[in-house]
Amino acid sequence: MVGKITPDDKCTCSNLFYILGGESKWSTPNKVLDMNIRAKNGENVRYEQTAVQQVGDALEGVVAQLAAKRLGLTNLDTEVTIPVKHETLPLWGSVDAYAQADNLTIEPNEELGIYTETGEPMILQGKGVIEIKCTADFPADDGIPQAWRGLIQAKGQMSCCNGDVDWAVVATLYRSTLLQLYVMRRDFPFEREMAEKIVDFDRRIRE
């Protein structure tokens, strides 16, 4: 797997949840804005990974392989070295992995940790993205990842692929052994709603 490849002084999908006004125990919109501004002014805002983060990064490739195998995806690519950039918005994304689906039916299966956004079978076709998360937390009962843990990020990444992908999987490894896969399609209403907030956030970075 490849580390962060998006610029630190731009709006990125990894921070999209906060750009849209969300808050979590990890960050807030103001903290993200402050980091972007400091990066714009030449400060190195990257920090040394914690021991826990190092383990999470080391597991990403394994999680991607397990996700692809469990869902029946092919052409898995975990060595993504080029960021994606939205065609019209100042938004960048760093994709963990790409994979291919050939008229693939995804059946929800709680025992296998497979969930779909509709709760019904989904047919996947063509190229998609896989967003990988590792956490010591317990999963939600409904299988839906928390918005700040990959869900909004994956929606942003799909938009930044500019029509090349139509689906995404948020693959989350909970508590070292419980893998849950959340499958969703590109969300065009969400993309229309996010546009104005991204432009405004970028303006505040630049001014």
Side-chain angles (χ1 to χ4, degrees):
M1 303 294 292
V2 178
K4 177 178 169 62
I5 55 177
T6 50
D8 295 322
D9 62 340
K10 309 288 186 185
C11 294
T12 64
C13 293
S14 60
N15 286 323
L16 185 55
F17 172 77
Y18 306 106
I19 291 169
L20 300 182
E23 296 188 8
S24 75
K25 61 182 178 180
W26 305 112
S27 195
T28 66
N30 284 339
K31 286 181 179 179
V32 170
L33 179 62
D34 176 69
M35 179 197 70
N36 289 150
I37 292 173
R38 287 188 288 115
K40 179 198 69 172
N41 292 331
E43 182 178 339
N44 180 9
V45 296
R46 302 201 178 189
Y47 55 88
E48 188 173 343
Q49 284 186 318
T50 65
V52 171
Q53 290 171 329
Q54 289 173 357
V55 173
D57 273 4
L59 289 173
E60 283 190 354
V62 175
V63 172
Q65 292 173 17
L66 288 171
K69 182 177 180 180
R70 191 169 293 184
L71 294 174
L73 303 171
T74 61
N75 296 341
L76 179 67
D77 178 11
T78 59
E79 296 300 317
V80 182
T81 59
I82 300 175
V84 289
K85 167 70 170 63
H86 196 283
E87 197 169 33
T88 60
L89 294 173
L91 180 67
W92 297 71
S94 178
V95 175
D96 287 336
Y98 292 106
Q100 195 80 15
D102 184 11
N103 199 33
L104 180 65
T105 299
I106 304 296
E107 299 273 358
N109 187 320
E110 188 172 342
E111 184 176 343
L112 293 177
I114 300 173
Y115 301 86
T116 64
E117 61 183 350
T118 63
E120 301 292 332
M122 289 176 58
I123 297 178
L124 305 184
Q125 179 62 37
K127 189 177 181 180
V129 301
I130 304 177
E131 174 56 35
I132 302 163
K133 299 296 181 186
C134 298
T135 176
D137 290 349
F138 287 97
D141 292 337
D142 59 8
I144 302 175
Q146 291 171 291
W148 51 267
R149 184 179 281 137
L151 187 64
I152 299 299
Q153 184 175 356
K155 290 189 177 200
Q157 288 169 350
M158 285 190 283
S159 75
C160 286
C161 289
N162 301 311
D164 288 341
V165 305
D166 184 53
W167 55 268
V169 177
V170 180
T172 309
L173 183 65
Y174 294 95
R175 303 190 66 78
S176 76
T177 56
L178 180 58
L179 177 61
Q180 289 195 347
L181 308 172
Y182 185 74
V183 184
M184 58 186 181
R185 294 195 187 283
R186 191 172 173 188
D187 188 343
F188 291 99
F190 169 83
E191 292 180 23
R192 288 191 290 269
E193 292 174 5
M194 77 178 186
E196 183 177 348
K197 291 184 178 181
I198 291 171
V199 170
D200 180 65
F201 203 90
D202 180 74
R203 175 190 58 79
R204 288 188 282 162
I205 295 172
R206 305 290 144 227
E207 68 183 11

